[in-house]
Amino acid sequence: MDGWIGTGKVRAREQGEAVEITIDGLTTQAKYYKPLVYEFMRKEWASRPSWGDYVVEIVMEHVGDPPWMDLDNLAKALLDAIKGYLFHDDSQVARLLVERREGERERISIRVFPRG
């Protein structure tokens, strides 16, 4: 399965220095994602957090009309969920891209990698 771990709504894999996380489905409640991703990271993720600056890219893909959700709230919920697993603190995020776009299916993709 191309190195993906996880069998539920949340899956993740390492691609070189980057970590990719996908979340299937969308909801209008950004706060829904924090415990969902946090539990996945706590139970499934084996890597330890690192120091240094990071780039985080978050893409929400929707089909039809986009859900009524503030992207800044989504970003905060997801950063809170991965903090302590991929990096130690939000202050390490040197670049943050959050994007909403039409896609083939409803999902959220997160890509985290060291700023080089």
Side-chain angles (χ1 to χ4, degrees):
M1 207 164 76
D2 295 336
W4 289 100
I5 61 168
T7 55
K9 283 185 171 289
V10 182
R11 295 178 304 130
R13 70 178 175 182
E14 292 186 75
Q15 289 285 97
E17 289 192 331
V19 173
E20 297 176 350
I21 301 169
T22 71
I23 306 159
D24 289 332
L26 292 178
T27 177
T28 57
Q29 296 295 312
K31 64 184 177 189
Y32 163 83
Y33 296 105
K34 182 178 176 179
L36 182 71
V37 175
Y38 175 81
E39 280 302 304
F40 170 82
M41 298 303 285
R42 187 177 71 81
K43 292 178 180 175
E44 306 273 351
W45 197 250
S47 298
R48 308 281 297 154
S50 298
W51 292 104
D53 286 347
Y54 278 83
V55 175
V56 179
E57 298 171 347
I58 300 169
V59 178
M60 177 208 305
E61 292 181 70
H62 61 88
V63 176
D65 291 335
W68 196 258
M69 182 190 334
D70 292 340
L71 290 180
D72 59 325
N73 293 336
L74 175 64
K76 183 64 178 149
L78 294 173
L79 289 174
D80 285 348
I82 62 177
K83 173 177 65 181
Y85 294 97
L86 301 181
F87 45 80
H88 293 278
D89 190 79
D90 289 353
S91 65
Q92 291 176 254
V93 178
R95 181 170 179 263
L96 175 63
L97 170 71
V98 188
E99 179 181 5
R100 178 181 65 222
R101 67 177 177 222
E102 198 155 339
E104 294 179 13
R105 60 189 231 208
E106 296 192 331
R107 70 177 161 203
I108 295 171
S109 302
I110 308 163
R111 193 164 177 265
V112 179
F113 54 95
R115 185 173 185 177

